[in-house]
């Protein structure tokens, strides 16, 4: 299993770069960032500095979208970074949340996601692509290689991911929900004639290491409750489109009840506090959801849940570090947790 961290590009940028360097030092493989150009600093500029300051780690957005950036510009950024630093980028993409909603926009269509994925991937891999009736290609790109991973929750988005994505990003660590969604992506890939084993499955969620005491658990929950509010934005869209997943005998789309039930108390969302610990709009998220969606507790608790995720096919776990224990969480992961989840090889058989 690979490991990543998910950072916000809050100023100063040097802090984001330092956290990415620290992640590499502790054995993490990926440094992801949010991509909301009004809420935080521009991530692609910071990626260049991270890549220059590190040797191995891969960078990318979790996630960008087809609406706020021209697709050819997005592809050019990734291809340029790859030509400069040796193919150490990945493009996570979705329909859009904070980046578009802050502008009073709406998430894009899945058609746009499919088409943007194709354009970005082809150009980012030094291939030509048809756009607006003409054939385009970067004449300066010679060695760039790029994968595009799609973030999804709803049935049609999962289908799109299986049909078109190089990877699947699931932003929650509930084992039962992850199993259902990974199964849906794998089925869609198989139905489309693709090998589902060629898709990378990434689960991303807050992880907080504590001592196991009731006081520690209560603090971890409060630091990570924001995540249930963020996921609730996407779940609300799914419920509006498909209903709550209840079996009404009329062929209702079956969505896990654990995913839809908790948003019934949701009243609104303030994007000015997006992704912030202690925000004022996540009170509706119960402790049970925090525990299911995140990974909290002692190192042994983390290892146990990660083993479950690995067993259902998760290839990467990316840690959201939007809490007050960033460095210590990375240190414990590097020393005690990541080594337990790597494939074990002995020097002498």
């Amino acid at each position: 299993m690979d490991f990543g961290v998910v950072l916000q590009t809050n100023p100063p940028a040097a802090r984001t770069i330092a956290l990415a360097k620290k992640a590499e030092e502790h054995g993490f493989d990926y440094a992801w960032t949010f991509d909301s150009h009004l809420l935080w600093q521009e991530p692609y500029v910071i990626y260049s500095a991270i890549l220059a300051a590190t040797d191995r780690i891969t960078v990318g957005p979790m996630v960008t979208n087809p609406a706020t950036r021209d697709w050819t510009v997005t592809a050019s950024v990734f291809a340029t970074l790859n030509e400069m630093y040796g193919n150490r980028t990945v493009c996570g993409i979705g329909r859009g949340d904070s980046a578009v909603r802050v502008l009073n926009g709406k998430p894009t269509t899945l058609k746009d996601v499919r088409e943007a994925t194709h354009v970005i991937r082809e150009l980012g891999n030094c291939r030509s692509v048809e756009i607006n009736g003409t054939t385009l290609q970067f004449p300066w790109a010679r060695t760039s290689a790029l994968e595009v991973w799609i973030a999804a929750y709803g049935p049609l988005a999962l289908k799109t991911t299986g049909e078109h994505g190089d990877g699947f990003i699931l932003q929650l660590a509930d084992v039962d929900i992850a199993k259902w969604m990974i199964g849906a992506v794998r089925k869609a890939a198989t139905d489309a004639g693709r090998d589902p084993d060629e898709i990378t499955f990434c689960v991303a969620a807050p992880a907080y290491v504590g001592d196991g005491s009731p006081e520690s658990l209560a603090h971890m929950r409060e630091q990570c409750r924001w995540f249930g509010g963020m996921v609730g934005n996407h779940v609300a869209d799914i419920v509006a489109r498909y209903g709550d997943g209840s079996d009404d005998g009329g062929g209702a789309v079956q969505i896990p009840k654990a995913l839809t039930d908790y948003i019934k108390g949701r009243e609104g969302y303030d994007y000015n506090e997006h992704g912030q610990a202690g925000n004022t709009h996540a009170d509706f998220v119960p402790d049970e959801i925090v525990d299911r969606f995140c990974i909290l507790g002692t190192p042994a608790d983390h290892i146990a849940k990660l083993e479950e995720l690995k067993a259902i096919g998760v290839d990467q776990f990316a840690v959201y570090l939007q809490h007050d224990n960033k460095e210590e969480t990375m240190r414990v992961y590097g020393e005690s947790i990541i080594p337990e989840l790597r494939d074990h090889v002995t020097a002498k058989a």
Side-chain angles (χ1 to χ4, degrees), residues 173-174 205-206 217-229 262 282 284-296 305:
D174 183 288
L217 180 57
H219 179 74
M220 289 187 285
R221 283 171 173 162
E222 290 311 309
Q223 286 288 302
C224 298
R225 198 175 304 277
W226 66 267
F227 185 67
Y262 85 97
F284 72 94
V285 181
D287 288 349
E288 177 191 2
I289 289 296
V290 180
D291 294 347
R292 293 183 67 165
F293 284 13
C294 307
I295 304 184
L296 312 176
K305 190 164 186 178

Side-chain angles (χ1 to χ4, degrees), residues 19-64:
L19 287 169
K21 288 177 63 177
K22 186 65 66 176
E24 182 175 86
E25 291 170 8
H26 287 304
F28 287 86
D29 308 285
Y30 289 76
W32 302 89
T33 73
F34 287 59
D35 179 10
S36 291
H37 58 288
L38 283 170
L39 295 179
W40 304 290
Q41 292 181 323
E42 171 58 38
Y44 295 95
V45 177
I46 296 173
Y47 294 158
S48 188
I50 291 173
L51 290 168
T54 56
D55 300 311
R56 177 184 52 80
I57 207 160
T58 295
V59 302
M62 188 176 282
V63 295
T64 193

